[in-house]
Amino acid sequence: MEATEQTLSRLLATYGLDAPLVAIGGLLLLAMLLHLLLGVLLRRLHRVAKTSSNRWDDVVITALETPLRVALWVIALMLILGRVSIAADVQAFILRAYDTLLILMLAWFLQRLIFGAEEELLSPARGHKASTDKAAVRSTAKLIRVILWILAGLMALQSVGVSISGLLAFGGIGGIAVGFAAKDLMANFFGGMSIYLDRPFTPGDWIRSPDREIEGTVEDIGWRLTRIRTFDQRPLYVPNAVFTQIAVENPSRMFNRRIYETIGVRYQDSAKLASIVADVRQMLEEHPEIDLNRTLIVNFVSFGPSSLDFFVYAFTRTTVWVEYHAIKQDVLLKILDIIHEHGADVAFPTRTLHLDSAPPELAQAVRGEHS
């Protein structure tokens, strides 16, 4: 071995080459070759993964690809720096930086893996998912990423010589002061956490609050604010803490939409009212857009001031706002046709004036005005 090294040294001296520079060049060349071989290997793994029925191997390979390439060059750089004569303190700093980089690259790989898993779980290839399932996947992934980078940051600080125990103790004392100073920020943070955990709504849902003037489509749920697009296309930014204090309706999760109308016919059409109510009920039972698995009521309900009132209570199959109004219009027009087919008509407000004690001249004048 020693003879081989001496022979190599004499050969380099013969050609006027510096041994450290030759070693650095050899390491760079080796790193380039390994980079190319790694690219070939990853492409082959991608082809194999695409032919596999299991989709998770694609997620792992995609997450590993870029961090693995960067890790290769970090290792090569450390080997090259090891061949260079530098001060001891600089060399110690480089070693600490090397450990820190490896920790950060591991965290980078895990973050890419979490993103890939999130996209895979929410991909259309896995079928339709309810908004609550999407919210659960997104909230869990976001929480795992936060925990991951907190742990990676603590490990990186430990690798550069920072005492974590002292940092944690300082954080416990300073956390009290920060809590008082940023109580609103913390309230919004935990409000966002409650939204992610309870999942009352998710991006894309239409929500409204009967307690506040809040109504629109949820665009984004952040850690501090929730962005809602109102129906006049204005962005509405609501602090997350507000949602812990108000009631929120989520019409996007409705199963049906309700038709609830009271219709009055004239008193002179009282003999036809029973037939009208029966025909309206039959029409609703035969209507293709009315859900018969829900409550359906058509009944005479009250003697109105100027009409005999019956009410219609039914549910449409659709929950789409525009489609619902088209169905409701069709139902009301058919009800109007049924009333007219029976020779009846919809009542309008009327008033009867009795003039029993009025002078004959006045009564005659009033009759003349109404004639």
Side-chain angles (χ1 to χ4, degrees), residues 61-324:
I61 295 171
T62 303
L64 185 62
E65 182 175 5
T66 306
L68 191 60
R69 293 176 185 270
V70 176
L72 171 64
W73 286 102
V74 169
I75 295 173
L77 181 62
M78 289 303 302
L79 293 175
I80 290 173
L81 291 176
R83 296 286 180 174
V84 179
S85 299
I86 53 178
D89 53 348
V90 176
Q91 187 174 12
F93 172 77
I94 293 174
L95 291 175
R96 288 196 299 269
Y98 173 71
D99 294 338
T100 304
L101 286 174
L102 290 182
I103 292 171
L104 294 178
M105 281 188 292
L106 177 61
W108 183 25
F109 160 68
L110 293 176
Q111 177 178 326
R112 289 170 58 89
L113 184 63
I114 294 168
F115 270 117
E118 181 181 1
E119 292 179 358
E120 174 63 25
L121 290 173
L122 297 176
S123 64
R126 291 188 169 268
H128 175 73
K129 288 182 175 60
S131 60
T132 53
D133 297 332
K134 294 180 181 179
V137 171
R138 292 192 181 99
S139 61
T140 303
K142 186 175 288 188
L143 183 62
I144 293 175
R145 286 195 294 269
V146 171
I147 295 174
L148 168 66
W149 283 108
I150 289 175
L151 294 177
L154 293 175
M155 293 174 65
L157 290 174
Q158 181 71 25
S159 67
V160 297
V162 178
S163 176
I164 297 179
S165 58
L167 181 63
L168 293 177
F170 173 76
I173 297 172
I176 299 175
V178 172
F180 282 109
K183 61 181 185 300
D184 292 337
L185 181 63
M186 298 302 296
N188 291 323
F189 173 79
F190 286 109
M193 287 296 298
S194 66
I195 293 173
Y196 281 116
L197 296 176
D198 297 335
R199 301 187 300 276
F201 53 82
T202 189
D205 285 356
W206 164 27
I207 65 170
R208 64 180 298 271
S209 172
D211 302 334
R212 300 283 186 91
E213 294 183 0
I214 298 173
E215 185 171 12
T217 303
V218 179
E219 289 190 338
D220 180 66
I221 304 172
W223 289 113
R224 195 178 71 86
L225 294 171
T226 294
R227 187 175 71 248
I228 299 173
R229 183 71 57 174
T230 61
F231 293 137
D232 58 358
Q233 298 303 308
R234 297 181 182 181
L236 177 64
Y237 299 93
V238 183
N240 290 332
V242 172
F243 293 106
T244 63
Q245 304 169 3
I246 63 173
V248 177
E249 294 179 1
N250 192 339
S252 299
R253 297 179 187 173
M254 296 169 60
F255 298 112
N256 308 87
R257 286 192 179 276
R258 185 182 67 174
I259 298 176
Y260 184 25
E261 294 291 332
T262 299
I263 302 165
V265 297
R266 300 175 303 185
Y267 269 93
Q268 57 264 40
D269 300 324
S270 58
K272 306 168 185 176
L273 182 60
S275 300
I276 293 173
V277 169
D279 287 352
V280 170
R281 175 185 291 275
Q282 181 179 357
M283 180 271 295
L284 291 173
E285 290 175 349
E286 295 175 355
H287 201 292
E289 298 299 332
I290 299 299
D291 191 352
L292 299 181
N293 294 320
R294 301 291 177 182
T295 303
L296 192 153
I297 304 174
V298 183
N299 284 110
F300 172 52
V301 66
S302 67
F303 294 93
S306 57
S307 62
L308 298 171
D309 297 333
F310 70 94
F311 78 102
V312 175
Y313 190 93
F315 290 89
T316 63
R317 296 182 184 276
T318 184
T319 60
V320 179
W321 183 246
V322 177
E323 295 177 4
Y324 160 75

Side-chain angles (χ1 to χ4, degrees), residues 316-370:
T316 63
R317 296 182 184 276
T318 184
T319 60
V320 179
W321 183 246
V322 177
E323 295 177 4
Y324 160 75
H325 278 286
I327 296 168
K328 183 178 179 180
Q329 173 183 285
D330 181 64
V331 167
L332 293 178
L333 290 176
K334 287 182 177 179
I335 293 174
L336 187 61
D337 290 340
I338 291 171
I339 293 174
H340 290 162
E341 287 172 1
H342 286 80
D345 204 348
V346 177
F348 55 87
T350 59
R351 179 176 297 175
T352 302
L353 183 62
H354 295 278
L355 300 173
D356 294 340
S357 60
E361 296 81 3
L362 178 59
Q364 185 177 1
V366 171
R367 294 190 189 96
E369 291 178 1
H370 286 80

